[in-house]
Amino acid sequence: MALNRAVLAYDDAVTDAVSQQLLINIVRAHHRQPIHFTAVSNIAATFNFQANAGAMPALGGLAGTSILPVFGGSVAESPTISIVPIEGEDFTRRLLTPFPQNKLTLLLRQRFDVDLLLRMMAQEVRLLQDKQRNVYHNSPADPGGYEMFRRVVLHLSAIQDHNQLHAEPLPLINTWTMPASSIAPDSFQSLQKEFVVHYNTGDDTFTLRKQIPGPILITNYDPDTLPEDDREKLNERAREWDVSDIAFDIRAGHYGGEWPISGVFRLRSFHSILGFLGKALGEERGYHVEKDPRTPPILGNENPDLTMGFVVAGTPPADVDFSIRWNNRFYAVNTTGPHARWNRDAFQLLFLLFQMTVTDIPRVGVPSITIAK
């Protein structure tokens, strides 16, 4: 019983502490204050159980010569909690480094809405239009860029709603040509395990081919069905992509192909995400953007004005999961109204992104929970 109560109670306390730190750092970013995190590195909880028994004479009356049993017991809990600041060059570098594309696709495969993921994690979209790249920023301070960005992610979300969105590595084929004289006869068997080997009689050479997974590509079709020429063109474009870029290619002839678009999303760092959410508390609030007329219908209520809605009040707000206090104002994630589920999903996403950013916390070499009897 003590173990069950202790594990759940300490787990709730640590989770609440991290959640409140995330919220207070959004508020700090809004007020342009330094962002800082503190973590619980270790909990050593010692429980001491004591029991005693005895007997004593009954007090007064006819039972004065009787013996009455006496039982007693006590439970003492002595927790030792180690708290350490999360700081240093390694954590700061991870805090400022844009997320790589594989982090986004990992979350996308957990069935997070692509609209929510990109609105929080992407700082801009670069559309390839008429062989030119036009940059559209995910910032309400840039209305033209912001509205185009929102329409693009809404288009991807509509495709995802109908289970037609793919996020797979682009299959690339690497080719090498080697003189036949440079390959020893006894090495063919090992080569054929890794490569497709073809002998060219015209110039006495061997062509070696190997398919390797390329960068992640978001599409409305299966990338494996692409003709080799199209894969080669995408491969040439992929050389320009950064590790923090996530490319997409929506083609005609497939679901959502009424608006064929192609380009790259550039991802933010965790520090930039906190700053983006903090600006939504003040001068850069999001606003409603209608989908493009060529976008298929969007299921459910998945186009809120804000990436994450907040409540700001002079008194502790009611009907919220938790709140924090800053300069006599109370802040909370808005968990009421039509976008309650969206806001909870957004905060859960922020929590996961923080866990992907934080470095390992040094642990003290003591048992986590000790129960003494």
Side-chain angles (χ1 to χ4, degrees), residues 227-274:
E228 188 171 343
D229 291 344
D230 288 353
R231 281 204 301 264
E232 187 58 33
K233 291 178 182 178
L234 288 172
N235 186 21
E236 290 298 323
R237 287 170 50 195
R239 300 180 191 278
E240 305 174 5
W241 301 340
D242 188 77
V243 66
S244 61
D245 293 342
I246 181 79
F248 61 95
D249 184 43
I250 305 301
R251 298 198 171 195
H254 304 274
Y255 190 84
E258 293 78 12
W259 185 19
I261 47 177
S262 180
V264 172
F265 290 100
R266 179 146 292 180
L267 302 183
R268 291 184 169 114
S269 66
F270 189 75
H271 187 274
S272 295
I273 291 174
L274 293 177

mmCIF file of all heavy atoms in Angstrom, residues 227-274:
data_model
loop_
_atom_site.group_PDB
_atom_site.id
_atom_site.type_symbol
_atom_site.label_atom_id
_atom_site.label_comp_id
_atom_site.label_asym_id
_atom_site.label_seq_id
_atom_site.Cartn_x
_atom_site.Cartn_y
_atom_site.Cartn_z
ATOM 1 N N PRO A 227 8.075 6.647 -60.742
ATOM 2 C CA PRO A 227 9.038 6.221 -61.764
ATOM 3 C C PRO A 227 10.450 6.633 -61.367
ATOM 4 O O PRO A 227 10.656 7.576 -60.598
ATOM 5 C CB PRO A 227 8.569 6.970 -63.028
ATOM 6 C CG PRO A 227 7.162 7.366 -62.751
ATOM 7 C CD PRO A 227 7.061 7.565 -61.270
ATOM 8 N N GLU A 228 11.425 5.940 -61.884
ATOM 9 C CA GLU A 228 12.814 6.194 -61.496
ATOM 10 C C GLU A 228 13.245 7.611 -61.858
ATOM 11 O O GLU A 228 14.011 8.238 -61.124
ATOM 12 C CB GLU A 228 13.732 5.177 -62.175
ATOM 13 C CG GLU A 228 15.175 5.244 -61.681
ATOM 14 C CD GLU A 228 16.025 4.096 -62.195
ATOM 15 O OE1 GLU A 228 15.464 3.095 -62.662
ATOM 16 O OE2 GLU A 228 17.255 4.226 -62.116
ATOM 17 N N ASP A 229 12.759 8.140 -63.000
ATOM 18 C CA ASP A 229 13.127 9.503 -63.387
ATOM 19 C C ASP A 229 12.632 10.524 -62.362
ATOM 20 O O ASP A 229 13.352 11.471 -62.021
ATOM 21 C CB ASP A 229 12.559 9.833 -64.770
ATOM 22 C CG ASP A 229 13.242 9.045 -65.877
ATOM 23 O OD1 ASP A 229 14.337 8.499 -65.616
ATOM 24 O OD2 ASP A 229 12.681 8.961 -66.991
ATOM 25 N N ASP A 230 11.404 10.330 -61.867
ATOM 26 C CA ASP A 230 10.868 11.253 -60.865
ATOM 27 C C ASP A 230 11.630 11.145 -59.551
ATOM 28 O O ASP A 230 11.866 12.153 -58.871
ATOM 29 C CB ASP A 230 9.384 10.963 -60.631
ATOM 30 C CG ASP A 230 8.521 11.384 -61.801
ATOM 31 O OD1 ASP A 230 9.055 12.027 -62.727
ATOM 32 O OD2 ASP A 230 7.316 11.074 -61.801
ATOM 33 N N ARG A 231 12.016 9.919 -59.195
ATOM 34 C CA ARG A 231 12.805 9.755 -57.966
ATOM 35 C C ARG A 231 14.146 10.458 -58.086
ATOM 36 O O ARG A 231 14.648 11.049 -57.140
ATOM 37 C CB ARG A 231 13.008 8.266 -57.665
ATOM 38 C CG ARG A 231 11.822 7.600 -57.020
ATOM 39 C CD ARG A 231 12.217 6.367 -56.240
ATOM 40 N NE ARG A 231 12.865 5.378 -57.075
ATOM 41 C CZ ARG A 231 12.237 4.357 -57.639
ATOM 42 N NH1 ARG A 231 10.934 4.207 -57.452
ATOM 43 N NH2 ARG A 231 12.879 3.493 -58.381
ATOM 44 N N GLU A 232 14.733 10.397 -59.287
ATOM 45 C CA GLU A 232 16.028 11.038 -59.499
ATOM 46 C C GLU A 232 15.911 12.558 -59.394
ATOM 47 O O GLU A 232 16.776 13.227 -58.816
ATOM 48 C CB GLU A 232 16.595 10.650 -60.863
ATOM 49 C CG GLU A 232 18.017 11.132 -61.099
ATOM 50 C CD GLU A 232 19.008 10.624 -60.071
ATOM 51 O OE1 GLU A 232 18.840 9.494 -59.569
ATOM 52 O OE2 GLU A 232 19.947 11.377 -59.742
ATOM 53 N N LYS A 233 14.805 13.112 -59.902
ATOM 54 C CA LYS A 233 14.600 14.557 -59.784
ATOM 55 C C LYS A 233 14.431 14.969 -58.320
ATOM 56 O O LYS A 233 14.996 15.982 -57.880
ATOM 57 C CB LYS A 233 13.371 14.974 -60.590
ATOM 58 C CG LYS A 233 13.544 14.855 -62.100
ATOM 59 C CD LYS A 233 12.258 15.242 -62.821
ATOM 60 C CE LYS A 233 12.412 15.074 -64.330
ATOM 61 N NZ LYS A 233 11.145 15.393 -65.052
ATOM 62 N N LEU A 234 13.662 14.172 -57.577
ATOM 63 C CA LEU A 234 13.512 14.461 -56.155
ATOM 64 C C LEU A 234 14.837 14.288 -55.418
ATOM 65 O O LEU A 234 15.128 15.018 -54.457
ATOM 66 C CB LEU A 234 12.433 13.562 -55.550
ATOM 67 C CG LEU A 234 10.986 13.892 -55.935
ATOM 68 C CD1 LEU A 234 10.045 12.814 -55.418
ATOM 69 C CD2 LEU A 234 10.571 15.250 -55.384
ATOM 70 N N ASN A 235 15.627 13.332 -55.866
ATOM 71 C CA ASN A 235 16.925 13.106 -55.252
ATOM 72 C C ASN A 235 17.822 14.322 -55.442
ATOM 73 O O ASN A 235 18.552 14.735 -54.529
ATOM 74 C CB ASN A 235 17.578 11.859 -55.862
ATOM 75 C CG ASN A 235 18.872 11.490 -55.168
ATOM 76 O OD1 ASN A 235 19.111 11.894 -54.032
ATOM 77 N ND2 ASN A 235 19.718 10.741 -55.845
ATOM 78 N N GLU A 236 17.783 14.925 -56.628
ATOM 79 C CA GLU A 236 18.575 16.119 -56.876
ATOM 80 C C GLU A 236 18.129 17.267 -55.977
ATOM 81 O O GLU A 236 18.955 18.019 -55.449
ATOM 82 C CB GLU A 236 18.457 16.524 -58.348
ATOM 83 C CG GLU A 236 19.162 15.579 -59.309
ATOM 84 C CD GLU A 236 20.660 15.518 -59.078
ATOM 85 O OE1 GLU A 236 21.263 16.572 -58.762
ATOM 86 O OE2 GLU A 236 21.236 14.420 -59.173
ATOM 87 N N ARG A 237 16.817 17.404 -55.794
ATOM 88 C CA ARG A 237 16.322 18.449 -54.913
ATOM 89 C C ARG A 237 16.675 18.170 -53.457
ATOM 90 O O ARG A 237 16.907 19.090 -52.666
ATOM 91 C CB ARG A 237 14.809 18.579 -55.055
ATOM 92 C CG ARG A 237 14.363 19.237 -56.353
ATOM 93 C CD ARG A 237 12.863 19.126 -56.537
ATOM 94 N NE ARG A 237 12.131 19.548 -55.350
ATOM 95 C CZ ARG A 237 10.841 19.290 -55.142
ATOM 96 N NH1 ARG A 237 10.146 18.615 -56.048
ATOM 97 N NH2 ARG A 237 10.245 19.714 -54.048
ATOM 98 N N ALA A 238 16.718 16.870 -53.100
ATOM 99 C CA ALA A 238 16.987 16.504 -51.713
ATOM 100 C C ALA A 238 18.381 16.917 -51.266
ATOM 101 O O ALA A 238 18.629 17.073 -50.060
ATOM 102 C CB ALA A 238 16.807 14.995 -51.527
ATOM 103 N N ARG A 239 19.303 17.094 -52.208
ATOM 104 C CA ARG A 239 20.664 17.503 -51.835
ATOM 105 C C ARG A 239 20.667 18.891 -51.205
ATOM 106 O O ARG A 239 21.600 19.250 -50.480
ATOM 107 C CB ARG A 239 21.569 17.478 -53.071
ATOM 108 C CG ARG A 239 21.669 16.109 -53.731
ATOM 109 C CD ARG A 239 22.575 16.150 -54.951
ATOM 110 N NE ARG A 239 22.478 14.929 -55.742
ATOM 111 C CZ ARG A 239 23.127 13.806 -55.480
ATOM 112 N NH1 ARG A 239 23.937 13.761 -54.438
ATOM 113 N NH2 ARG A 239 22.976 12.734 -56.251
ATOM 114 N N GLU A 240 19.643 19.684 -51.502
ATOM 115 C CA GLU A 240 19.573 21.035 -50.941
ATOM 116 C C GLU A 240 18.854 21.069 -49.594
ATOM 117 O O GLU A 240 18.851 22.109 -48.930
ATOM 118 C CB GLU A 240 18.842 21.960 -51.923
ATOM 119 C CG GLU A 240 19.453 21.981 -53.321
ATOM 120 C CD GLU A 240 18.620 22.795 -54.293
ATOM 121 O OE1 GLU A 240 17.630 23.419 -53.842
ATOM 122 O OE2 GLU A 240 18.934 22.806 -55.491
ATOM 123 N N TRP A 241 18.218 19.970 -49.188
ATOM 124 C CA TRP A 241 17.439 19.973 -47.956
ATOM 125 C C TRP A 241 18.350 19.844 -46.748
ATOM 126 O O TRP A 241 19.335 19.094 -46.749
ATOM 127 C CB TRP A 241 16.418 18.835 -47.959
ATOM 128 C CG TRP A 241 15.438 18.901 -49.094
ATOM 129 C CD1 TRP A 241 15.134 19.994 -49.848
ATOM 130 C CD2 TRP A 241 14.660 17.823 -49.620
ATOM 131 N NE1 TRP A 241 14.211 19.670 -50.810
ATOM 132 C CE2 TRP A 241 13.893 18.348 -50.692
ATOM 133 C CE3 TRP A 241 14.518 16.477 -49.295
ATOM 134 C CZ2 TRP A 241 13.020 17.566 -51.437
ATOM 135 C CZ3 TRP A 241 13.648 15.693 -50.029
ATOM 136 C CH2 TRP A 241 12.892 16.232 -51.082
ATOM 137 N N ASP A 242 18.006 20.561 -45.704
ATOM 138 C CA ASP A 242 18.730 20.480 -44.445
ATOM 139 C C ASP A 242 18.103 19.395 -43.581
ATOM 140 O O ASP A 242 16.974 18.948 -43.830
ATOM 141 C CB ASP A 242 18.669 21.838 -43.738
ATOM 142 C CG ASP A 242 19.571 21.889 -42.520
ATOM 143 O OD1 ASP A 242 20.785 22.035 -42.700
ATOM 144 O OD2 ASP A 242 19.049 21.786 -41.395
ATOM 145 N N VAL A 243 18.819 18.963 -42.540
ATOM 146 C CA VAL A 243 18.297 17.922 -41.653
ATOM 147 C C VAL A 243 17.054 18.393 -40.911
ATOM 148 O O VAL A 243 16.230 17.581 -40.483
ATOM 149 C CB VAL A 243 19.392 17.481 -40.656
ATOM 150 C CG1 VAL A 243 19.747 18.612 -39.701
ATOM 151 C CG2 VAL A 243 18.989 16.236 -39.894
ATOM 152 N N SER A 244 16.894 19.714 -40.770
ATOM 153 C CA SER A 244 15.709 20.250 -40.101
ATOM 154 C C SER A 244 14.610 20.639 -41.082
ATOM 155 O O SER A 244 13.660 21.320 -40.705
ATOM 156 C CB SER A 244 16.087 21.472 -39.251
ATOM 157 O OG SER A 244 16.629 22.499 -40.066
ATOM 158 N N ASP A 245 14.740 20.211 -42.336
ATOM 159 C CA ASP A 245 13.711 20.452 -43.345
ATOM 160 C C ASP A 245 12.880 19.196 -43.544
ATOM 161 O O ASP A 245 13.425 18.080 -43.556
ATOM 162 C CB ASP A 245 14.330 20.856 -44.689
ATOM 163 C CG ASP A 245 15.014 22.213 -44.632
ATOM 164 O OD1 ASP A 245 14.720 22.966 -43.694
ATOM 165 O OD2 ASP A 245 15.834 22.499 -45.522
ATOM 166 N N ILE A 246 11.576 19.367 -43.707
ATOM 167 C CA ILE A 246 10.689 18.252 -44.022
ATOM 168 C C ILE A 246 9.987 18.598 -45.333
ATOM 169 O O ILE A 246 9.255 19.596 -45.409
ATOM 170 C CB ILE A 246 9.697 17.962 -42.877
ATOM 171 C CG1 ILE A 246 8.809 16.779 -43.210
ATOM 172 C CG2 ILE A 246 8.885 19.172 -42.504
ATOM 173 C CD1 ILE A 246 9.465 15.452 -43.004
ATOM 174 N N ALA A 247 10.250 17.818 -46.370
ATOM 175 C CA ALA A 247 9.739 18.124 -47.706
ATOM 176 C C ALA A 247 8.381 17.470 -47.913
ATOM 177 O O ALA A 247 8.040 16.463 -47.282
ATOM 178 C CB ALA A 247 10.722 17.637 -48.767
ATOM 179 N N PHE A 248 7.598 18.039 -48.813
ATOM 180 C CA PHE A 248 6.300 17.476 -49.166
ATOM 181 C C PHE A 248 6.099 17.619 -50.675
ATOM 182 O O PHE A 248 6.634 18.536 -51.308
ATOM 183 C CB PHE A 248 5.165 18.153 -48.388
ATOM 184 C CG PHE A 248 5.035 19.627 -48.648
ATOM 185 C CD1 PHE A 248 4.139 20.120 -49.595
ATOM 186 C CD2 PHE A 248 5.810 20.545 -47.939
ATOM 187 C CE1 PHE A 248 4.016 21.478 -49.830
ATOM 188 C CE2 PHE A 248 5.688 21.906 -48.164
ATOM 189 C CZ PHE A 248 4.790 22.370 -49.119
ATOM 190 N N ASP A 249 5.327 16.707 -51.212
ATOM 191 C CA ASP A 249 5.064 16.693 -52.653
ATOM 192 C C ASP A 249 3.646 16.168 -52.864
ATOM 193 O O ASP A 249 3.409 14.962 -52.738
ATOM 194 C CB ASP A 249 6.100 15.811 -53.368
ATOM 195 C CG ASP A 249 5.937 15.844 -54.874
ATOM 196 O OD1 ASP A 249 5.729 16.942 -55.425
ATOM 197 O OD2 ASP A 249 6.010 14.764 -55.508
ATOM 198 N N ILE A 250 2.718 17.065 -53.139
ATOM 199 C CA ILE A 250 1.315 16.708 -53.366
ATOM 200 C C ILE A 250 1.062 16.764 -54.872
ATOM 201 O O ILE A 250 1.221 17.824 -55.491
ATOM 202 C CB ILE A 250 0.369 17.669 -52.615
ATOM 203 C CG1 ILE A 250 0.722 17.705 -51.121
ATOM 204 C CG2 ILE A 250 -1.078 17.252 -52.823
ATOM 205 C CD1 ILE A 250 0.652 16.365 -50.422
ATOM 206 N N ARG A 251 0.684 15.629 -55.457
ATOM 207 C CA ARG A 251 0.591 15.523 -56.914
ATOM 208 C C ARG A 251 -0.847 15.340 -57.362
ATOM 209 O O ARG A 251 -1.692 14.789 -56.638
ATOM 210 C CB ARG A 251 1.437 14.351 -57.414
ATOM 211 C CG ARG A 251 2.913 14.504 -57.103
ATOM 212 C CD ARG A 251 3.759 13.599 -57.942
ATOM 213 N NE ARG A 251 5.174 13.926 -57.782
ATOM 214 C CZ ARG A 251 6.140 13.498 -58.594
ATOM 215 N NH1 ARG A 251 5.826 12.704 -59.613
ATOM 216 N NH2 ARG A 251 7.392 13.838 -58.386
ATOM 217 N N ALA A 252 -1.083 15.808 -58.572
ATOM 218 C CA ALA A 252 -2.387 15.604 -59.203
ATOM 219 C C ALA A 252 -2.594 14.128 -59.493
ATOM 220 O O ALA A 252 -1.642 13.359 -59.637
ATOM 221 C CB ALA A 252 -2.477 16.424 -60.489
ATOM 222 N N GLY A 253 -3.846 13.723 -59.560
ATOM 223 C CA GLY A 253 -4.157 12.327 -59.808
ATOM 224 C C GLY A 253 -4.306 11.493 -58.562
ATOM 225 O O GLY A 253 -4.612 10.305 -58.646
ATOM 226 N N HIS A 254 -4.089 12.093 -57.394
ATOM 227 C CA HIS A 254 -4.248 11.409 -56.119
ATOM 228 C C HIS A 254 -5.141 12.278 -55.231
ATOM 229 O O HIS A 254 -5.450 13.426 -55.574
ATOM 230 C CB HIS A 254 -2.900 11.162 -55.445
ATOM 231 C CG HIS A 254 -1.927 10.394 -56.295
ATOM 232 N ND1 HIS A 254 -1.896 9.025 -56.342
ATOM 233 C CD2 HIS A 254 -0.964 10.832 -57.157
ATOM 234 C CE1 HIS A 254 -0.947 8.632 -57.176
ATOM 235 N NE2 HIS A 254 -0.365 9.707 -57.678
ATOM 236 N N TYR A 255 -5.546 11.732 -54.062
ATOM 237 C CA TYR A 255 -6.453 12.476 -53.193
ATOM 238 C C TYR A 255 -5.795 13.788 -52.765
ATOM 239 O O TYR A 255 -4.652 13.809 -52.298
ATOM 240 C CB TYR A 255 -6.819 11.660 -51.955
ATOM 241 C CG TYR A 255 -7.931 12.283 -51.143
ATOM 242 C CD1 TYR A 255 -9.261 12.072 -51.482
ATOM 243 C CD2 TYR A 255 -7.640 13.125 -50.076
ATOM 244 C CE1 TYR A 255 -10.288 12.662 -50.757
ATOM 245 C CE2 TYR A 255 -8.658 13.723 -49.334
ATOM 246 C CZ TYR A 255 -9.973 13.480 -49.690
ATOM 247 O OH TYR A 255 -10.989 14.084 -48.975
ATOM 248 N N GLY A 256 -6.525 14.887 -52.920
ATOM 249 C CA GLY A 256 -5.978 16.202 -52.615
ATOM 250 C C GLY A 256 -5.185 16.802 -53.750
ATOM 251 O O GLY A 256 -4.604 17.892 -53.594
ATOM 252 N N GLY A 257 -5.144 16.129 -54.880
ATOM 253 C CA GLY A 257 -4.350 16.615 -56.004
ATOM 254 C C GLY A 257 -4.962 17.768 -56.763
ATOM 255 O O GLY A 257 -4.351 18.254 -57.723
ATOM 256 N N GLU A 258 -6.155 18.212 -56.345
ATOM 257 C CA GLU A 258 -6.734 19.390 -56.992
ATOM 258 C C GLU A 258 -5.868 20.633 -56.769
ATOM 259 O O GLU A 258 -5.954 21.600 -57.526
ATOM 260 C CB GLU A 258 -8.148 19.650 -56.458
ATOM 261 C CG GLU A 258 -9.182 18.580 -56.838
ATOM 262 C CD GLU A 258 -9.062 17.338 -55.975
ATOM 263 O OE1 GLU A 258 -8.333 17.395 -54.948
ATOM 264 O OE2 GLU A 258 -9.701 16.325 -56.314
ATOM 265 N N TRP A 259 -5.076 20.610 -55.698
ATOM 266 C CA TRP A 259 -4.107 21.686 -55.458
ATOM 267 C C TRP A 259 -2.720 21.045 -55.355
ATOM 268 O O TRP A 259 -2.243 20.748 -54.276
ATOM 269 C CB TRP A 259 -4.444 22.439 -54.178
ATOM 270 C CG TRP A 259 -3.561 23.635 -53.928
ATOM 271 C CD1 TRP A 259 -2.790 24.290 -54.844
ATOM 272 C CD2 TRP A 259 -3.361 24.313 -52.675
ATOM 273 N NE1 TRP A 259 -2.122 25.331 -54.257
ATOM 274 C CE2 TRP A 259 -2.460 25.387 -52.930
ATOM 275 C CE3 TRP A 259 -3.872 24.142 -51.395
ATOM 276 C CZ2 TRP A 259 -2.047 26.255 -51.931
ATOM 277 C CZ3 TRP A 259 -3.459 25.008 -50.403
ATOM 278 C CH2 TRP A 259 -2.554 26.051 -50.661
ATOM 279 N N PRO A 260 -2.064 20.813 -56.486
ATOM 280 C CA PRO A 260 -0.731 20.205 -56.447
ATOM 281 C C PRO A 260 0.308 21.214 -55.952
ATOM 282 O O PRO A 260 0.505 22.268 -56.548
ATOM 283 C CB PRO A 260 -0.481 19.812 -57.904
ATOM 284 C CG PRO A 260 -1.359 20.704 -58.707
ATOM 285 C CD PRO A 260 -2.534 21.044 -57.850
ATOM 286 N N ILE A 261 0.944 20.910 -54.855
ATOM 287 C CA ILE A 261 1.936 21.808 -54.261
ATOM 288 C C ILE A 261 3.150 20.994 -53.847
ATOM 289 O O ILE A 261 3.061 19.807 -53.521
ATOM 290 C CB ILE A 261 1.378 22.563 -53.032
ATOM 291 C CG1 ILE A 261 0.655 21.616 -52.079
ATOM 292 C CG2 ILE A 261 0.480 23.703 -53.458
ATOM 293 C CD1 ILE A 261 0.133 22.273 -50.815
ATOM 294 N N SER A 262 4.284 21.662 -53.853
ATOM 295 C CA SER A 262 5.538 21.007 -53.494
ATOM 296 C C SER A 262 6.423 22.024 -52.794
ATOM 297 O O SER A 262 6.430 23.210 -53.149
ATOM 298 C CB SER A 262 6.236 20.469 -54.749
ATOM 299 O OG SER A 262 7.444 19.827 -54.420
ATOM 300 N N GLY A 263 7.150 21.578 -51.788
ATOM 301 C CA GLY A 263 8.027 22.498 -51.073
ATOM 302 C C GLY A 263 8.642 21.861 -49.850
ATOM 303 O O GLY A 263 8.707 20.631 -49.723
ATOM 304 N N VAL A 264 9.062 22.712 -48.920
ATOM 305 C CA VAL A 264 9.788 22.271 -47.730
ATOM 306 C C VAL A 264 9.316 23.087 -46.530
ATOM 307 O O VAL A 264 9.159 24.307 -46.623
ATOM 308 C CB VAL A 264 11.315 22.452 -47.914
ATOM 309 C CG1 VAL A 264 12.054 22.178 -46.609
ATOM 310 C CG2 VAL A 264 11.840 21.541 -49.005
ATOM 311 N N PHE A 265 9.072 22.400 -45.412
ATOM 312 C CA PHE A 265 8.858 23.073 -44.131
ATOM 313 C C PHE A 265 10.192 23.137 -43.392
ATOM 314 O O PHE A 265 10.909 22.130 -43.323
ATOM 315 C CB PHE A 265 7.849 22.314 -43.267
ATOM 316 C CG PHE A 265 6.437 22.360 -43.773
ATOM 317 C CD1 PHE A 265 5.904 21.290 -44.472
ATOM 318 C CD2 PHE A 265 5.650 23.479 -43.560
ATOM 319 C CE1 PHE A 265 4.605 21.325 -44.942
ATOM 320 C CE2 PHE A 265 4.350 23.526 -44.025
ATOM 321 C CZ PHE A 265 3.820 22.451 -44.721
ATOM 322 N N ARG A 266 10.500 24.283 -42.839
ATOM 323 C CA ARG A 266 11.701 24.424 -42.003
ATOM 324 C C ARG A 266 11.277 24.438 -40.547
ATOM 325 O O ARG A 266 10.444 25.252 -40.137
ATOM 326 C CB ARG A 266 12.450 25.695 -42.369
ATOM 327 C CG ARG A 266 13.691 25.950 -41.539
ATOM 328 C CD ARG A 266 14.773 26.628 -42.345
ATOM 329 N NE ARG A 266 15.315 25.741 -43.378
ATOM 330 C CZ ARG A 266 16.285 26.102 -44.215
ATOM 331 N NH1 ARG A 266 16.787 27.317 -44.150
ATOM 332 N NH2 ARG A 266 16.738 25.246 -45.113
ATOM 333 N N LEU A 267 11.856 23.526 -39.755
ATOM 334 C CA LEU A 267 11.406 23.325 -38.380
ATOM 335 C C LEU A 267 12.079 24.294 -37.407
ATOM 336 O O LEU A 267 13.171 24.807 -37.661
ATOM 337 C CB LEU A 267 11.672 21.880 -37.948
ATOM 338 C CG LEU A 267 11.009 20.801 -38.816
ATOM 339 C CD1 LEU A 267 11.297 19.418 -38.246
ATOM 340 C CD2 LEU A 267 9.513 21.026 -38.941
ATOM 341 N N ARG A 268 11.397 24.520 -36.282
ATOM 342 C CA ARG A 268 11.882 25.400 -35.225
ATOM 343 C C ARG A 268 12.720 24.620 -34.204
ATOM 344 O O ARG A 268 12.678 23.396 -34.141
ATOM 345 C CB ARG A 268 10.715 26.033 -34.470
ATOM 346 C CG ARG A 268 9.881 27.043 -35.228
ATOM 347 C CD ARG A 268 8.847 27.622 -34.268
ATOM 348 N NE ARG A 268 8.168 28.770 -34.834
ATOM 349 C CZ ARG A 268 6.878 28.808 -35.139
ATOM 350 N NH1 ARG A 268 6.134 27.750 -34.909
ATOM 351 N NH2 ARG A 268 6.335 29.885 -35.656
ATOM 352 N N SER A 269 13.394 25.368 -33.343
ATOM 353 C CA SER A 269 13.980 24.813 -32.126
ATOM 354 C C SER A 269 12.946 24.879 -31.009
ATOM 355 O O SER A 269 11.914 25.553 -31.127
ATOM 356 C CB SER A 269 15.228 25.617 -31.727
ATOM 357 O OG SER A 269 14.858 26.940 -31.363
ATOM 358 N N PHE A 270 13.221 24.202 -29.889
ATOM 359 C CA PHE A 270 12.281 24.249 -28.763
ATOM 360 C C PHE A 270 12.218 25.663 -28.184
ATOM 361 O O PHE A 270 11.154 26.115 -27.763
ATOM 362 C CB PHE A 270 12.697 23.249 -27.681
ATOM 363 C CG PHE A 270 11.676 23.087 -26.597
ATOM 364 C CD1 PHE A 270 10.524 22.365 -26.822
ATOM 365 C CD2 PHE A 270 11.853 23.672 -25.352
ATOM 366 C CE1 PHE A 270 9.552 22.232 -25.835
ATOM 367 C CE2 PHE A 270 10.901 23.537 -24.353
ATOM 368 C CZ PHE A 270 9.752 22.812 -24.606
ATOM 369 N N HIS A 271 13.336 26.354 -28.167
ATOM 370 C CA HIS A 271 13.345 27.735 -27.688
ATOM 371 C C HIS A 271 12.442 28.605 -28.558
ATOM 372 O O HIS A 271 11.686 29.447 -28.046
ATOM 373 C CB HIS A 271 14.780 28.266 -27.695
ATOM 374 C CG HIS A 271 14.933 29.627 -27.076
ATOM 375 N ND1 HIS A 271 14.738 30.795 -27.791
ATOM 376 C CD2 HIS A 271 15.256 30.001 -25.810
ATOM 377 C CE1 HIS A 271 14.934 31.826 -26.996
ATOM 378 N NE2 HIS A 271 15.249 31.381 -25.786
ATOM 379 N N SER A 272 12.486 28.404 -29.864
ATOM 380 C CA SER A 272 11.634 29.182 -30.775
ATOM 381 C C SER A 272 10.160 28.839 -30.590
ATOM 382 O O SER A 272 9.291 29.702 -30.732
ATOM 383 C CB SER A 272 12.048 28.935 -32.226
ATOM 384 O OG SER A 272 13.351 29.411 -32.459
ATOM 385 N N ILE A 273 9.872 27.575 -30.273
ATOM 386 C CA ILE A 273 8.474 27.183 -30.038
ATOM 387 C C ILE A 273 7.928 27.916 -28.825
ATOM 388 O O ILE A 273 6.806 28.445 -28.847
ATOM 389 C CB ILE A 273 8.372 25.663 -29.865
ATOM 390 C CG1 ILE A 273 8.648 24.947 -31.193
ATOM 391 C CG2 ILE A 273 7.001 25.257 -29.336
ATOM 392 C CD1 ILE A 273 8.701 23.440 -31.095
ATOM 393 N N LEU A 274 8.707 27.973 -27.728
ATOM 394 C CA LEU A 274 8.255 28.700 -26.540
ATOM 395 C C LEU A 274 8.054 30.175 -26.860
ATOM 396 O O LEU A 274 7.089 30.805 -26.400
ATOM 397 C CB LEU A 274 9.261 28.530 -25.401
ATOM 398 C CG LEU A 274 9.404 27.116 -24.812
ATOM 399 C CD1 LEU A 274 10.495 27.103 -23.753
ATOM 400 C CD2 LEU A 274 8.093 26.625 -24.226
#
